[in-house]
Amino acid sequence: MSEIIYEMRDLLFPQVPGVEVVAVRTAGTTVRVEARCTATGGACPGCDGWSERVHSSYLRFPVDLPVAGRRAEMALRVRRFLCASPACGRRTFVEQIPGLTRRHGRVTERLRQMLGTIGLALAGRAGARLAEQTGIMTSRSTLLRRVMDLPDPAHAEPTAVGVDDFALRRGHVYGTVIIDAETHQVLDLLPERDADTLALWLRTHPEIEVLCRDRAGAYADATTAAPQALQVADRFHLWQNLTTAVEKTVAAHRSCLHECPQEPEEPEPAWETPASPDTDGPETDGPETASPDTDGPETDGPDDTGEAAEALAGRFAQRAREHHELVHELLGQGMGIRHIARHLGWGRHTVQRYARAARWQDMVKGRKPRRPGKLAPYVSYLEQRWAETEGRVTVLALHREITERGFHGSYSTVRDWTRRNLPQTARPAPAPPLPSVREITGWLVRHPGTLTEEEELLRKSALAHCPELRTAAELTSSFAEMLTTLGGEDLPDWITEAAASKLPGISTFATGLNSDVDAVTAGLTTDWNSGPVEGAVNRIKMIKRQMFGRAGFALLRKRVLLAS
């Protein structure tokens, strides 16, 4: 039995010395582990004096990690010792087991550490749900308290740091994140992004030699607290600022492209041009279902004679004549009605009606005349006005004029009749719209290898017709070369050239570089950059979303520092 108890101690408390398992009992879903301390004495927490004089003993019931999916509860018998030092203010003290218990603790240290780990990874509600699945009963508030109890991580003294802002409440409240530029570990989070807050942190770290930052005015002012550090302006933000400047230049000179000739559209290939509906073959419903053309005269009624029918003209009459001749020709060759219908792709009854008609004029007998429309009394006036103005009068003006004369129809009626019956003047096709400011800016600031063939042609055409845009493209290319090849020694010449160009946006950007020229030069000549800081900001966003925006700055700072 003693061997089993010894094995249970090694199983339950493998790294906790001074504990002896007395018994293990189960009660429902709870495992009760009875244990006691084996040390001969204890150290007083007040004076660190050793004492072996036992005053009394009692049972403590700290909750431990689950065992085999069951809730574990300890019945730990601890002793109270008498302090042997007369000068100590404590008369008695209770022994503690390092790594297992603490004063006033209701859970073991390893359960406390597990709760802190879960809370650090999943925060409150999600962590409480996971803990419940593993057999640990806890609340979201307890998990967050365990996270706050964790100590801040220890970092070596940094020599190069990166600084950037992040949103605590987007558009309203911002903080500052500081990372080690070499190890990419987050060093601290500051609740504000002003110069005073950052300057106070920099004064406590005089060992910093390199400071990577963007060109925000607050961070530039705060760097006076670290005069020994090399200021490095981030290349990404420099390029971003130049892109904004180029966009202003394009917006100011986009009107130059109105004089840029547009290439005419290529005609549509003949095999892709849809056939005219007039030349289409007859449909299966039969040609007699088509309405008579408005160009031809209308019939007088169901008592039309053959002579009147012979006077018919237009597309329908021509089609009826051709179809009648075709059907009777096939009948003369000995083909039957069904055979002709399959051959022509028509309906059988359609072929039958043509076959029974002795003359093609019989196909139009009995057709009802169309009633004159609302526009009929004004047709002569519209034709006269169109001829007087040689087609330069607008349809809107025509509609307004006949409305004053009693017309009650809509604008679309006049428009459709005009397009169908009046000769249209040939008008040049409208020129395609000019490219947007954003599109032109993209042609100038994007890598040439990423442009399509069409974009490259449009870019060349735009630069050929606008000297200002051509100058902006040259300045952008030269700055990009400095940025990619770390040729910051050419920056003074570039600033002089850009300022002399008098381009809106770019000249202002170049002039503004003089106020921070040392940091910009360092950014264009050294390998230091703020890329790792941007990655830290992305991780902060993820942690913020995980907490649903309901946590305070202290908890956010703790989670970011420990998560990194």
Side-chain angles (χ1 to χ4, degrees), residues 193-238:
R193 62 171 178 181
D194 56 7
D196 296 336
T197 304
L198 180 59
L200 181 62
W201 190 91
L202 292 175
R203 291 191 186 97
T204 61
H205 296 80
E207 71 280 358
I208 294 177
E209 301 176 357
V210 178
L211 177 60
C212 302
R213 57 174 176 83
D214 58 19
R215 299 183 59 237
Y219 294 153
D221 296 339
T223 54
T224 56
Q228 79 285 353
L230 173 66
Q231 310 297 320
V232 180
D234 183 48
R235 293 190 289 274
F236 168 78
H237 290 91
L238 287 173

Side-chain angles (χ1 to χ4, degrees), residues 305-385:
T305 61
E307 291 77 6
E310 290 179 355
L312 289 173
R315 289 175 295 181
F316 176 75
Q318 179 66 23
R319 190 162 56 245
R321 181 187 298 111
E322 293 175 354
H323 293 168
H324 183 271
E325 294 175 356
L326 178 60
V327 170
H328 281 269
E329 180 182 354
L330 295 177
L331 288 173
Q333 297 176 5
M335 296 177 63
I337 298 296
R338 294 181 182 275
H339 190 188
I340 295 174
R342 287 195 298 269
H343 177 70
L344 298 178
W346 297 357
R348 179 171 57 86
H349 296 290
T350 301
V351 177
Q352 196 174 55
R353 283 193 292 270
Y354 274 104
R356 289 175 179 175
R359 301 183 308 163
W360 69 268
Q361 292 87 344
D362 297 336
M363 298 298 300
V364 296
K365 272 190 174 184
R367 299 184 64 88
K368 295 182 179 181
R370 289 198 316 164
R371 293 182 300 173
K374 295 180 180 180
L375 198 60
Y378 308 96
V379 168
S380 59
Y381 177 81
L382 293 175
E383 293 175 345
Q384 178 184 354
R385 290 284 293 131

Side-chain angles (χ1 to χ4, degrees), residues 275-289:
S276 172
D278 298 339
T279 60
D280 287 344
E283 301 179 359
T284 56
D285 293 337
E288 67 276 13
T289 60

Side-chain angles (χ1 to χ4, degrees), residues 236-258:
F236 168 78
H237 290 91
L238 287 173
W239 185 253
Q240 192 177 47
N241 296 339
L242 177 62
T243 300
T244 303
V246 172
E247 188 172 358
K248 294 179 180 179
T249 302
V250 172
H253 295 281
R254 179 170 172 263
S255 58
C256 300
L257 302 183
H258 284 289

Side-chain angles (χ1 to χ4, degrees), residues 410-477:
S410 64
Y411 165 81
S412 60
T413 301
V414 182
R415 179 198 61 197
D416 296 340
W417 184 89
T418 303
R419 292 178 178 175
R420 187 172 57 248
N421 297 280
L422 296 179
Q424 302 295 322
T425 58
R427 297 179 180 178
L434 291 178
S436 64
V437 174
R438 186 176 294 273
E439 288 176 336
I440 302 175
T441 304
W443 300 342
L444 301 184
V445 301
R446 285 165 52 192
H447 193 281
T450 63
L451 298 177
T452 63
E453 183 177 356
E454 180 182 1
E455 290 174 338
E456 183 65 28
L457 294 176
L458 292 174
R459 180 180 185 273
K460 290 181 179 179
S461 178
L463 299 186
H465 290 82
C466 186
E468 290 80 5
L469 293 183
R470 184 166 58 251
T471 303
E474 294 172 355
L475 291 173
T476 303
S477 299

